[in-house]
Amino acid sequence: AAATPPPSAETMVKAASSEWDECAGTWDTMAGPTSHWAHDSHEKVMKLVKGKPGIKRVLDFGAGTGVLGLALRTSLEAQGVEEVVFHDVAPKMLEEISKKIAAEGLTKTTVSPFTGNVAEAASTDLAAPFDLIVSGSVLTFVPDAHATISALRERLTPGTGVMVHFVHQYTPPEKDESFSASVANQAQYYSGFTHEDIQKVMQVEGLTEVAIEEFALRMSSSGEEGDTAPEPWKMWVASARRA
């Protein structure tokens, strides 16, 4: 029998949107990586951009509930940041960000109305230029990592714009992993990236000064008596500049 063709990018994005929408209301309180993500990822990004002037516009791509972008907004405000834009394919995730912005009366923040596939977006969606683009675990779920990086590169400030992506290290897929019944798990790198994978994606799509480091994301216990925290998630943090 002929192999079933892979789902279209549109179908995969819609599936991911639906799945992440279901997580939105409880994402920040889940035991696991979320309790450490804001601190650890923010700290790493700030080290990578230390001394870099002119970060006026930031894009938190695949922002989830916005913990990384909101933390960066606070840290970069003294350096003159003018706008942090939040994007996600899950509208309910964006609603959570909007609630935080409203509750704290934050300025210099924009929740993008665009919730589609950036690889197929018009130039007016997530309009350039951005001086810094960040994402956490997002490239694992996009239909085409090359097309996504290419689209993001076009939105970086030429010559100085920097992107920083946190991605899962490759692990052999398990039959019973979460989302296994969904078309969303047919994303190109759903099982994670090898060092060579992420390096190639960024270099082929015209980025320069590509640097890749290991990043161990701390995990939390469930809080139940006797429960201990799992081993950290092994990730890569990949940074690069637009030439």
Side-chain angles (χ1 to χ4, degrees):
T4 303
S8 67
E10 180 182 8
T11 299
M12 293 171 72
V13 169
K14 285 182 177 179
S17 173
S18 176
E19 287 168 354
W20 291 114
D21 264 347
E22 293 178 6
C23 303
T26 57
W27 189 251
D28 286 346
T29 57
M30 286 174 61
T34 51
S35 57
H36 297 297
W37 172 249
H39 177 273
D40 292 1
S41 60
H42 160 260
E43 184 177 68
K44 186 62 180 177
V45 172
M46 289 304 297
K47 287 180 179 178
L48 289 170
V49 301
K50 184 177 181 180
K52 175 177 169 50
I55 299 180
K56 302 295 185 184
R57 296 187 74 229
V58 178
L59 172 61
D60 188 352
F61 176 71
T65 57
V67 291
L68 174 54
L70 290 170
L72 289 173
R73 177 209 170 276
T74 299
S75 294
L76 293 170
E77 188 170 22
Q79 299 180 30
V81 72
E82 296 175 355
E83 182 183 28
V84 178
V85 177
F86 298 89
H87 160 273
D88 204 276
V89 298
K92 290 185 179 179
M93 287 287 191
L94 296 177
E95 288 176 9
E96 295 299 315
I97 300 173
S98 295
K99 290 177 187 176
K100 295 176 183 179
I101 292 171
E104 298 181 36
L106 298 177
T107 59
K108 303 178 181 178
T109 53
T110 301
V111 176
S112 174
F114 176 73
T115 57
N117 180 4
V118 70
E120 300 174 352
S123 60
T124 50
D125 295 317
L126 307 177
F130 290 100
D131 305 297
L132 174 64
I133 296 176
V134 296
S135 79
S137 304
V138 180
L139 294 182
T140 308
F141 298 98
V142 299
D144 186 331
H146 280 274
T148 298
I149 290 294
S150 177
L152 293 176
R153 180 184 63 82
E154 289 300 311
R155 288 164 169 78
L156 281 175
T157 304
T160 58
V162 171
M163 62 172 68
V164 180
H165 299 281
F166 294 85
V167 299
H168 296 290
Q169 292 188 19
Y170 176 79
T171 55
E174 299 176 6
K175 292 181 180 180
D176 59 349
E177 63 183 322
S178 62
F179 297 167
S180 61
S182 166
V183 295
N185 79 332
Q186 296 185 49
Q188 186 178 13
Y189 290 105
Y190 185 79
S191 296
F193 291 79
T194 65
H195 185 285
E196 292 74 19
D197 287 335
I198 187 61
Q199 184 175 44
K200 180 179 179 181
V201 168
M202 298 185 84
Q203 288 179 337
V204 166
E205 298 310 325
L207 293 161
T208 189
E209 297 177 11
V210 176
I212 302 165
E213 304 173 46
E214 288 198 329
F215 179 79
L217 178 58
R218 294 177 294 157
M219 301 286 281
S220 298
S221 71
S222 65
E224 297 179 2
E225 185 176 356
D227 186 31
T228 57
E231 290 294 312
W233 278 1
K234 292 183 178 181
M235 303 183 75
W236 304 113
V237 54
S239 60
R241 178 176 62 84
R242 179 175 177 179

